[in-house]
Amino acid sequence: MWEIYISLASLGIILTILPKIPSSHWTFRVADFGKIQINYFIIFTFIFGFGLYNHEFWWYVQALLLLLIAYHSITLIKYTRFFPIKSIKTSGKNSSNLIKIISANIYQFNKDYNRFINLVHKHQPDLFLTMESNGDWENALKVLENEYPFHHKVTLENTYGMHFYSKIKIEKSTTHFFIADDIPSIEAHVQTEDGFEFVFFGIHPPPPSPTEEKTSKERDGDLLSVAKRVKDIEKPVLVIGDFNNVAWSKSSSLFRKLSHLIDPRVGRAFVSTFHANYSFLRFPIDLMFHSADIFIKELKTLEKFGSDHLPVFCEFFIDLENREQKDRIEKADSAEKSEAKQMIREGIKEEGERERVVTED
């Protein structure tokens, strides 16, 4: 039993240390995703250890496990309601009307189009973004174009297609290819009927994994390129999509600081989305960040619709005069800015291993 206990404790230590190693290879980055599960695993090992209290080294191992639990919990508690933040959920006389948005990685090979269409009809978002949407999905979503007359479509067959639909007027929109000519981001300037303007960014960088990209260089370069672009925009900004990243990773922290945006999960919830079919192995990788003049009323996942991701639903309003969230903005220092520039350069240089047309195995 002692050998099992030591093996479990060693695994917990290794999984904690791996993300701290400054390498972009997926073997070091993948443990970032599982911080919640790793903490539960270490807690289980700690409890299991109480059955071995008579061993001479028991105190040392248990003390180390307790330190690891504290280390992970200090980060994770920020994404729960136990972390105190000033949160404003009620709009005022200077606020816009409430705006609802859905962001969904639909999974390119999901053919159950009607389940997603019914989900849109049920929740009635003002805007929605689909990722991994190809030509088949574009054709299926045409039934929504009367309700959503404004759209921006980037139809690709490589699992990185994106489609943005809006009931609200899109003044102008652009497709960016920041780090590769097959990884798009959407920038759309939107004007509401009550006279408020904001800029929407939809993003979906490639993940570091044994089955996709070997490193996180393209993902990180793409995210930080968006952050660099966002920083220069003076309008309210909302960035949403499948980041293939978690909010507590180093590159997410750099993104937040470089863009001067706020993570709405802080003080609220993890909002875990992937994998939709395995609740215990579910990671919060469909993220969202917003400027200080956007106020989140609700942020949650919605029901399954056949994809491997759960969709994210957000309801928010804009208030240009309310300064209550300004103190939540963190800004990158000179060293972090230099690091971000280097990561962007590395992302552009990295050659991805994607096919132009991806078919289901």
Side-chain angles (χ1 to χ4, degrees), residues 280-341:
F280 182 70
L281 296 174
R282 191 171 291 166
F283 311 129
I285 64 173
D286 293 85
L287 303 183
M288 171 186 164
F289 294 85
H290 62 88
S291 54
D293 36 26
I294 287 179
F295 295 83
I296 308 302
K297 182 179 181 182
E298 187 174 20
L299 180 65
K300 63 182 181 180
T301 56
L302 299 178
E303 61 268 26
K304 295 191 290 185
F305 62 94
S307 173
D308 50 358
H309 287 245
L310 294 175
V312 174
F313 174 89
C314 177
E315 188 172 33
F316 66 94
F317 61 88
I318 302 167
D319 192 325
L320 303 177
E321 298 185 19
N322 195 318
R323 297 291 183 265
E324 292 293 330
Q325 295 188 132
K326 284 288 186 181
D327 59 354
R328 293 182 61 187
I329 294 175
E330 293 184 68
K331 297 181 180 180
D333 58 28
S334 57
E336 289 170 324
K337 289 177 182 177
S338 297
E339 185 176 14
K341 288 179 182 178

Side-chain angles (χ1 to χ4, degrees), residues 24 179 216-218 220-222 224-225 228 250 254 258 334-350:
S24 61
I179 49 93
S216 63
K217 289 181 180 180
E218 285 189 297
D220 297 342
D222 193 53
L224 296 172
S225 295
K228 186 179 177 182
K250 182 178 182 179
L254 276 175
L258 194 65
S334 57
E336 289 170 324
K337 289 177 182 177
S338 297
E339 185 176 14
K341 288 179 182 178
Q342 179 61 28
M343 292 170 76
I344 291 172
R345 287 193 292 267
E346 290 179 357
I348 294 171
K349 290 179 182 178
E350 185 77 357

Side-chain angles (χ1 to χ4, degrees), residues 98 248 266 275 279:
L98 290 173
W248 48 77
V266 174
H275 194 286
S279 57

Side-chain angles (χ1 to χ4, degrees), residues 114 116-117 161 290:
N114 284 334
F116 181 73
I117 292 168
H290 62 88

Side-chain angles (χ1 to χ4, degrees), residues 223-224 226-233 237 239 252-262 289-291 329-332:
L223 292 178
L224 296 172
V226 173
K228 186 179 177 182
R229 166 66 184 146
V230 164
K231 184 174 66 68
D232 297 327
I233 296 175
V237 177
V239 183
S252 282
S253 178
L254 276 175
F255 172 88
R256 178 172 46 79
K257 292 179 180 180
L258 194 65
S259 64
H260 301 173
L261 297 182
I262 295 168
F289 294 85
H290 62 88
S291 54
I329 294 175
E330 293 184 68
K331 297 181 180 180

